[in-house]
Amino acid sequence: MGQMQEYNNEAEAALLHTYNRYQVVFDHGEGVHLYDIEGKSYLDFVSGIGVFALGYGNKEYNDAVKAQVDKILHTSNYYYNVPAIEAAKAVKKASGMDRVFFTNSGAEAVEGAIKTARKYAYLKDGRTDHEIIAMEHSFHGRTMGALSVTGKKAYREAFEPMIGNIRFAEYNDIESVKALVNEKTCAILMETVQGEGGIYPGQESFLKEVRALCDEKDILLIFDEIQCGMGRTGEYYAWQRYGVKPDVMTTAKALGCGVPVGAFLMTEKVGQHSLVAGDHGTTYGGNPLAGAAIVEVFRQFEDKKVLENVRRVGAYLYKKLDEIAAAQTDVVEHRGVGLIQGLEFDHPVAEIINKALDKGLVLINAGTNIIRFLPPLVITEADVDAMLEILKECL
Ligand SMILES: *Cc1c(COP(=O)(O)O)cnc(C)c1O
């Protein structure tokens, strides 16, 4: 039995089986390539589900994190620390939002956003039965609050009851949203580009109409930018493509590029009328290690002109996947923007993904029939060509 198989067996004996894992044990990475423990190289078009935006073996990033490890890892949110202050300034600047709360994960950021919206509405009218409108086919995380607003019944059902008063509208369908709004509605929550649900970009008209609706009724608009944010669409945050600014926003995944971090942010108005001392907290969130990682991520985004790269290579990938969609009779649709794109087939894609892995290309699905393309944001046109060569062999 090979060593890889041995590890696979050990993993299956020890880890809770909450994932059907691919039969590969990754060891290290270099640029846009991963290497398994037997030294086989893989071109990475998943980036750890949109996390490792800056490429593997990134010396400056590693050095920044190591320097902070040697200095101090953790104090407490009862005290200030410089990396967190610098990180807050950087994420504020990138997003144009005003107030930041750092978390350890995306799901926690969603929890914070939900609490913010409920508190904001509570301070206005004193009610304790506020409703949140979320979207069908959305994904917001696995904790109970985040799960409650996730628009996939199969994820929720066994864990009922959810937190109460969540309504689901159809994404990109303003009438379905309007039909659910009432005097109890405190927030409308959505991904700006739906990720797990199948790579559906929010349409400009829809986002603008939801924004107008929220303005009219003083309802908070919450954008979950955990997957589609941090440069993935060619802007720091996907809503910046259309200038439809949310009141509250979540970010995570590529925000830390490997160190587990997340954040929810809000406008000054919401910050002044929602959570106060005692309302919310976290032990690890925004600790110096997390702060140092975030600061270095933003530094490299600017230094390497990552957004420009995403726009250029993203457009190239779009053109190339369009060609595949035209040539393949089993492709139903090609969707996406920047470096978050999807190819929907009229059949499950697991076999294609397994074949690709065999041939040294890491891909992932989004739903049963959709291949999701979520490469590191520093890929080049040549990497896209290399990916396509393998993909074509697998189709
Ligand atoms: C991944 C993801 C989450 C959950 O983030 P975790 O860090 O896994 O908790 C929430 N929302 C969206 C859109 C995501 O893609």
Side-chain angles (χ1 to χ4, degrees):
M1 190 163 44
Q3 212 195 352
M4 195 105 94
Q5 190 56 48
E6 243 172 77
Y7 275 126
N8 288 342
N9 294 347
E10 283 179 5
E12 290 311 320
L15 297 172
L16 190 65
H17 194 101
T18 51
Y19 285 87
N20 289 318
R21 292 181 172 85
Y22 294 98
Q23 300 296 300
V24 60
V25 185
F26 287 128
D27 182 64
H28 65 282
E30 199 56 55
V32 296
H33 289 88
L34 285 164
Y35 295 83
D36 69 21
I37 55 167
E38 290 165 359
K40 179 177 163 187
S41 154
Y42 300 79
L43 176 58
D44 175 28
F45 261 66
V46 177
S47 55
I49 322 247
V51 170
F52 237 105
L54 297 170
Y56 302 97
N58 184 311
K59 186 172 183 319
E60 290 164 303
Y61 175 89
N62 294 351
D63 286 348
V65 170
K66 283 182 208 167
Q68 192 59 48
V69 169
D70 285 339
K71 203 168 181 188
I72 191 162
L73 278 171
H74 182 82
T75 52
S76 156
N77 275 312
Y78 280 105
Y79 315 100
Y80 300 110
N81 75 78
V82 174
I85 296 165
E86 294 299 326
K89 284 181 357 198
V91 69
K92 270 184 62 172
K93 181 160 175 252
S95 66
M97 305 298 284
D98 299 311
R99 299 266 163 190
V100 190
F101 184 103
F102 288 116
T103 64
N104 309 291
S105 68
E108 283 171 82
V110 172
E111 299 287 335
I114 292 171
K115 282 180 72 174
T116 300
R118 283 188 168 181
K119 181 74 191 288
Y120 179 87
Y122 172 80
L123 289 177
K124 262 197 324 188
D125 61 19
R127 297 179 77 124
T128 53
D129 60 352
H130 290 111
E131 295 181 359
I132 294 173
I133 299 174
M135 298 297 139
E136 294 289 355
H137 309 295
S138 63
F139 182 83
H140 298 290
R142 302 296 198 151
T143 55
M144 288 307 298
L147 187 60
S148 300
V149 290
T150 287
K152 186 165 173 184
K153 196 156 180 279
Y155 285 173
R156 299 192 309 258
E157 192 164 62
F159 309 101
E160 295 278 355
M162 296 288 109
I163 70 164
N165 294 14
I166 309 297
R167 308 277 172 260
F168 288 99
E170 287 296 329
Y171 196 57
N172 282 332
D173 178 350
I174 188 66
E175 293 310 320
S176 79
V177 177
K178 283 184 176 163
L180 296 178
V181 170
N182 61 45
E183 74 287 354
K184 294 193 279 188
T185 310
C186 71
I188 300 176
L189 162 69
M190 67 184 75
E191 294 152 273
T192 326
V193 177
Q194 286 191 334
E196 305 286 326
I199 317 293
Y200 290 94
Q203 290 163 4
E204 181 173 4
S205 57
F206 177 67
L207 300 180
K208 285 187 167 159
E209 283 168 323
V210 172
R211 179 68 271 177
L213 182 64
C214 288
D215 287 340
E216 184 194 323
K217 312 247 182 213
D218 196 19
I219 293 167
L220 296 188
L221 177 57
I222 306 172
F223 283 155
D224 181 342
E225 289 262 352
I226 290 167
Q227 188 163 151
C228 64
M230 284 310 288
R232 202 139 279 279
T233 65
E235 299 286 344
Y236 268 116
Y237 290 102
W239 58 262
Q240 291 166 333
R241 296 173 66 225
Y242 303 131
V244 181
K245 190 176 176 180
D247 303 293
V248 179
M249 188 192 97
T250 61
T251 177
K253 291 199 163 101
L255 178 66
C257 279
V259 171
V261 300
F264 61 98
L265 295 96
M266 60 198 74
T267 60
E268 188 63 22
K269 180 182 168 198
V270 177
Q272 293 298 339
H273 299 96
S274 58
L275 304 178
V276 296
D279 275 346
H280 200 55
T282 167
T283 297
Y284 274 125
N287 80 6
L289 180 70
I294 294 168
V295 169
E296 176 60 14
V297 166
F298 280 109
R299 194 194 66 73
Q300 289 200 29
F301 263 73
E302 293 299 319
D303 193 51
K304 297 183 172 169
K305 299 197 168 29
V306 168
L307 301 182
E308 278 170 41
N309 192 66
V310 172
R311 282 180 222 141
R312 198 188 70 247
V313 181
Y316 184 73
L317 175 65
Y318 200 89
K319 191 178 99 197
K320 291 290 170 179
L321 289 181
D322 256 5
E323 286 170 19
I324 289 188
Q328 289 281 132
T329 53
D330 55 348
V331 171
V332 178
E333 197 174 36
H334 168 217
R335 295 185 291 269
V337 53
L339 293 174
I340 174 165
Q341 298 190 33
L343 269 186
E344 180 169 354
F345 290 76
D346 62 11
H347 55 78
V349 294
E351 202 184 315
I352 300 173
I353 290 173
N354 278 314
K355 270 194 210 162
L357 194 64
D358 245 21
K359 293 176 187 290
L361 168 66
V362 189
L363 291 172
I364 198 141
N365 61 307
T368 317
N369 290 3
I370 299 157
I371 300 179
R372 169 168 35 168
F373 300 86
L374 218 58
L377 301 184
V378 294
I379 59 157
T380 62
E381 285 89 344
D383 297 322
V384 171
D385 288 341
M387 180 278 288
L388 291 165
E389 202 168 304
I390 301 176
L391 179 64
K392 281 177 189 163
E393 287 172 23
C394 301
L395 292 176

